[in-house]
Amino acid sequence: MIRRFSLFMMLMLTLTTVVCAQQAVGFSNGQCGRNNLTSIGSADVQGQMMRLSADKVKALVGAKLTGVSVVVGSRNCQDYDVFVRTSPEGANLAHASIVPAKANVWADYAFDAAYTVTGNEPALYVGYTCKAGNYQALSYDLTQDSKDVSFAYNEGVWQDTYGMSLGMPNVRVLAEGTPASADLMLKTYTQQGYYKGGQDYQHSIEVFNFGQKTITAFDAVVRIGDGAQQRISVADISLAANATHSVELPTLRSDDKGYQQVTVTLDNIATADGALADAEPSDNATAAAVFFYPADVQKNILLEGFTGQACPNCPAGHRAEKTAIESLESKGVTVYEVTHHAGYEPDAFSMEDDGAYCFFYGSNSTFAPAVMLNRWRCATLSSKPGPILNADALLIEQAALSVLDREPYVQMNMTSDYDAATNTAKIAVDIECLRLPSCAQTVFNIMLSQDSIIAPQSNGGSGYVHNAVARGNIVGSAWGRLVSLKEGETLHYETNYTLPASIESTAGTSYEGFAPNIATEASNMKLTAYVAAYSENDYNGNEVFNCVQIPLVKSATGISAVNSDVRNVVRYNLSGQRVGEQYKGIVIANGKKIVQ
């Protein structure tokens, strides 16, 4: 009897531990590090939080929320405050002012007083705010995004970060008394991405173990368009709490322009203890209409360099940019270059526009050589707050291949009819909106650049050849003109531009005796037009959707048709190695990722 009683008591203690132990509840898979850090917007106050839906809250009824487990970006930020609320701007149900002892690692912080979940809450928001200054305070796991889960404090407003390619916030709530349940979450299937008619695409979706039980098997039921349902069985896995698992979906293809409906549902969820159930199935299904662009649409990349005549490292940066562009073009990727003499210090080339674009550094501290690609921040490749990258050839190429997956939204055509007698060009641009972007404002701009300028350069000598030098803009503003796009319609812009005999730097600074008033040469001038999102506050909110570049003195089509038949083109795998027709997997051909 005594032995049986002891065993019974040990069993009861074990069960009590399972039910009452503190659990870290959230959507992050735990990945953190310097490349996971960011700032959103330019405001001093930064913050991030996760949202637990009403269904998730009901699964936590009776649990005591004691604090947060969080990754903060810097100990140098001020006034960290962690909280739990029922709405983004609502009163705190629990909170604490904290002084982080560590950065870039998970750490637990207790609320001043715990909060017990009633189940009547419409939702729970758990996160923090701080005064960030120039530091990157926010940390994300860089997994797949999901709607209505992750929010960031952007210019005084809590904004859903879905679509920013940041993944889930590295924030969890510490809870006592949570049930040991199975709860598999299917992340939102993204309809974003650049898909073209007539090509096959391999795509995937992530599932996340929100519960405490280890998942050993599940099925994903997929339907694409009008096709039959396909069941994908995932077995012999050990998916622990707070872990993700990627599921490859059937090939996605459409031979025509338009939308292709994709639905995914999870079922037959099994756990290590033999259970076959999901405690909270509201997030076990997702659907999206994937848009396919016409087969002849091409996504082009605008590479903007930051440089300076007095910058000793810039010649090496110029060579890195050239190497990257040549490598990309050998793979069929079209890259257009414009170089801003800003980021280091003003020189004989610096224009007012160049200085304005230092906004993209997201910091008071600028540097050169540097580049940005379509003014888009590649979160997986750079820990910097804005779209600025180091001028490294491999990094530029990797970032460019990531940019290729971004939607172009528009296709553009530009011509220039130049009259040498009057030095005047009649410039015309057509912008066809294939799909309406979701940004609040859209701009159009035409930049003027000049090649083959012989001028002094630190570490380059007095006869250095400067190419792609920005010489201002055609439309009258560094940021371009606001345009109103309508899906299926074409905007036409036309203007007459007279090329002056010389263009003077607005900085008015000479360099080693080289005057800031530089003679123009029509045959060396280029026009670069682009359409982009526009945000005057968010340096990550000005992504270039598509662009085109032509010589000033030669009429040319900006974006030409791309042959969708890749049988006779050069192919490269994702490591940059040339491969043949028989290679199986994802390849880059005609500047696009395809599956063969």
Side-chain angles (χ1 to χ4, degrees):
M1 290 292 295
I2 294 176
R3 188 169 183 271
R4 290 178 181 174
F5 179 79
S6 299
L7 288 173
F8 177 76
M9 288 302 294
M10 290 175 63
L11 179 61
M12 289 302 294
L13 287 171
T14 302
L15 289 173
T16 302
T17 301
V18 170
V19 173
C20 298
Q22 183 166 267
Q23 301 285 342
V25 178
F27 299 98
S28 169
N29 73 352
Q31 178 181 333
C32 61
R34 292 190 61 83
N35 284 343
N36 301 62
L37 303 180
T38 190
S39 298
I40 296 179
S42 59
D44 185 39
V45 177
Q46 297 277 310
Q48 64 182 149
M49 64 186 179
M50 67 166 180
R51 174 182 177 271
L52 299 173
S53 67
D55 292 312
K56 294 296 183 194
V57 170
K58 288 182 174 63
L60 295 174
V61 171
K64 183 184 293 185
L65 307 184
T66 61
V68 298
S69 184
V70 65
V71 180
V72 300
S74 174
R75 291 181 298 168
N76 296 314
C77 298
Q78 304 295 318
D79 299 337
Y80 273 103
D81 189 78
V82 297
F83 60 80
V84 57
R85 304 168 178 167
T86 57
S87 66
E89 303 291 350
N92 292 332
L93 302 175
H95 84 103
S97 298
I98 65 171
V99 180
K102 298 179 180 180
N104 287 330
V105 296
W106 285 92
D108 296 347
Y109 302 97
F111 291 137
D112 293 340
Y115 174 76
T116 301
V117 180
T118 66
N120 296 320
E121 298 88 351
L124 288 176
Y125 294 82
V126 182
Y128 68 90
T129 57
C130 67
K131 289 184 179 179
N134 290 327
Y135 296 99
Q136 298 175 71
L138 314 182
S139 176
Y140 293 85
D141 67 4
L142 303 184
T143 59
Q144 286 186 356
D145 293 354
S146 208
K147 288 182 180 179
D148 299 325
V149 168
S150 172
F151 294 80
Y153 199 62
N154 186 3
E155 306 297 334
V157 177
W158 286 103
Q159 175 185 353
D160 192 337
T161 62
Y162 176 71
M164 295 185 182
S165 301
L166 296 170
M168 301 300 189
N170 282 328
V171 176
R172 296 169 180 161
V173 66
L174 299 174
E176 292 181 356
T178 56
S181 60
D183 186 1
L184 199 60
M185 169 191 172
L186 182 61
K187 293 191 178 179
T188 305
Y189 176 75
T190 177
Q191 72 274 25
Q192 297 173 336
Y194 177 26
Y195 302 95
K196 292 174 66 172
Q199 294 186 10
D200 292 337
Y201 295 91
Q202 193 64 50
H203 55 143
S204 63
I205 197 164
E206 274 187 0
V207 295
F208 176 77
N209 188 356
F210 186 85
Q212 287 77 53
K213 288 188 177 183
T214 297
I215 305 296
T216 57
F218 64 89
D219 286 351
V221 181
V222 185
R223 185 174 183 181
I224 299 176
D226 297 328
Q229 285 188 345
Q230 302 179 63
R231 182 174 293 272
I232 301 171
S233 294
V234 179
D236 300 323
I237 62 170
S238 182
L239 188 62
N242 297 320
T244 55
H245 185 86
S246 182
V247 180
E248 294 296 316
L249 301 180
T251 299
L252 185 63
R253 179 187 176 92
S254 176
D255 291 327
D256 300 313
K257 170 190 171 183
Y259 290 91
Q260 187 81 277
Q261 185 73 15
V262 177
T263 60
V264 185
T265 306
L266 299 180
D267 65 10
N268 292 337
I269 298 168
T271 62
D273 59 7
L276 190 66
D278 191 294
E280 200 283 285
S282 67
D283 50 14
N284 287 4
T286 185
V290 180
F291 183 76
F292 279 79
Y293 287 86
D296 63 349
V297 174
Q298 180 172 313
K299 170 84 170 185
N300 293 331
I301 296 176
L302 174 62
L303 187 155
E304 293 174 272
F306 289 86
T307 188
Q309 286 181 283
C311 169
N313 297 321
C314 283
H318 301 159
R319 291 191 293 271
E321 292 170 33
K322 184 179 183 214
T323 298
I325 291 172
E326 288 176 349
S327 179
L328 288 163
E329 290 181 342
S330 74
K331 298 174 173 65
V333 181
T334 301
V335 181
Y336 298 127
E337 183 181 17
V338 176
T339 299
H340 306 295
H341 278 248
Y344 190 76
E345 61 183 42
D347 58 33
F349 293 100
S350 300
M351 305 293 291
E352 184 177 358
D353 292 15
D354 300 327
Y357 298 143
C358 286
F359 165 80
F360 289 110
Y361 281 82
S363 167
N364 292 328
S365 176
T366 58
F367 64 93
V371 299
M372 58 183 175
L373 299 164
N374 279 10
R375 302 181 179 180
W376 177 65
R377 178 177 183 250
C378 188
T380 58
L381 293 177
S382 174
S383 62
K384 296 180 175 62
I388 303 295
L389 296 170
N390 293 323
D392 171 86
L394 180 59
L395 180 62
I396 293 170
E397 185 166 355
Q398 290 175 326
L401 294 177
S402 296
V403 170
L404 278 182
D405 289 332
R406 308 288 293 177
E407 289 191 67
Y409 294 107
V410 301
Q411 63 177 346
M412 304 170 65
N413 183 76
M414 178 163 59
T415 59
S416 173
D417 185 8
Y418 183 76
D419 183 353
T422 61
N423 291 328
T424 299
K426 182 178 181 180
I427 302 168
V429 182
D430 287 318
I431 304 168
E432 182 184 0
C433 180
L434 300 167
R435 190 183 188 206
L436 192 65
S438 59
C439 57
Q441 298 184 100
T442 308
V443 292
F444 157 72
N445 201 3
I446 305 175
M447 294 186 290
L448 180 69
S449 63
Q450 185 171 349
D451 291 334
S452 304
I453 304 175
I454 309 299
Q457 170 67 48
S458 176
N459 264 352
S462 59
Y464 194 80
V465 180
H466 296 261
N467 289 313
V469 180
R471 302 279 72 205
N473 70 87
I474 303 300
V475 303
S477 168
W479 299 100
R481 293 187 175 188
L482 290 171
V483 292
S484 179
L485 299 178
K486 293 183 180 179
E487 193 165 309
E489 295 187 5
T490 299
L491 285 177
H492 180 77
Y493 174 83
E494 196 171 291
T495 189
N496 292 319
Y497 173 74
T498 300
L499 181 68
S502 63
I503 297 177
E504 186 170 2
S505 162
T506 52
T509 303
S510 61
Y511 177 73
E512 293 188 355
F514 184 78
N517 195 21
I518 299 167
T520 60
E521 177 59 51
S523 60
N524 292 333
M525 313 301 290
K526 290 180 180 176
L527 301 167
T528 304
Y530 65 82
V531 173
Y534 174 69
S535 172
E536 61 183 344
N537 297 315
D538 184 3
Y539 35 77
N540 292 315
N542 294 268
E543 179 182 352
V544 172
F545 300 136
N546 218 342
C547 59
V548 56
Q549 185 179 85
I550 62 171
L552 177 69
V553 298
K554 182 181 179 182
S555 181
T557 297
I559 296 182
S560 59
V562 176
N563 184 5
S564 62
D565 183 354
V566 298
R567 290 174 296 179
N568 298 315
V569 300
V570 179
R571 301 163 174 78
Y572 297 84
N573 63 20
L574 295 184
S575 298
Q577 300 166 319
R578 186 167 176 170
V579 296
E581 278 187 50
Q582 304 308 315
Y583 179 84
K584 300 299 182 185
I586 300 175
V587 300
I588 300 167
N590 271 341
K592 186 61 190 169
K593 293 179 183 177
I594 64 172
V595 179
Q596 64 176 29

